[in-house]
Amino acid sequence: MKLSSIANYLGIKGFNQPTIDPPVNPNFDLEKAGPRKILLSWEGLARPEKKWFTQKFIRTALVVLVIVGLLLVLMQEFFLIIVIASVIFFVYALSHADPEIIKYEISTHGVTYNGRIYYWNDLKYFFFSTSTDSEVLVIDTKEPLPGRIFLTFKPEQKEQLKELLLQYLTYLDQEPQTFLDKAYKNIADRFSF
């Protein structure tokens, strides 16, 4: 097995990785940009709706939780059982909360997400993700936090969004996969009950 294929699996860059074309406007300067002009504005959900609890997920989680629960009862780790149960309740409650509706804007200065503006020189590239029930526009930031901005949109806006963003950012045809993405997919495929 070659070192480059191991590096590709782990998500390490630099070994036979396709290069990303530089953005059209790599040297965005706020002072030279002129007055801010809104190119597109819309309202959408703050996060994409994703159905976490499918039948396959519930069966898999139930089997794993029963086994772990029995082991913890045998070890008399009742506090740990309470902590795990509260985390499960927290995730369940968050997944059933309705997302709020927020305002998105694309302007000559950058992308505004719920009142916070991300300037073009703070953004790397964009792509469309279909990992949820609906398609989502994903923009990667240069800073590690937040790292990615997820923008929900109506399907008829996709081409317009792509045309606007291509003026400032590089478009990726496929979603970049990191080591964690590949590991999660690999583990999820092996544990299907």
Side-chain angles (χ1 to χ4, degrees), residues 155-173:
E156 58 268 10
Q157 292 177 313
K158 181 177 180 178
E159 289 304 316
Q160 186 180 13
L161 285 168
K162 186 175 177 180
E163 288 177 22
L164 285 173
L165 291 173
L166 275 173
Q167 298 174 20
Y168 302 98
L169 300 174
T170 303
Y171 173 68
L172 300 179
D173 291 330

Side-chain angles (χ1 to χ4, degrees), residues 88-109:
I88 291 170
F89 174 75
F90 182 71
V91 168
Y92 178 81
L94 283 180
S95 68
H96 282 72
D98 292 332
E100 62 180 318
I101 295 177
I102 63 173
K103 186 174 183 178
Y104 302 106
E105 287 180 352
I106 297 177
S107 68
T108 53
H109 290 184

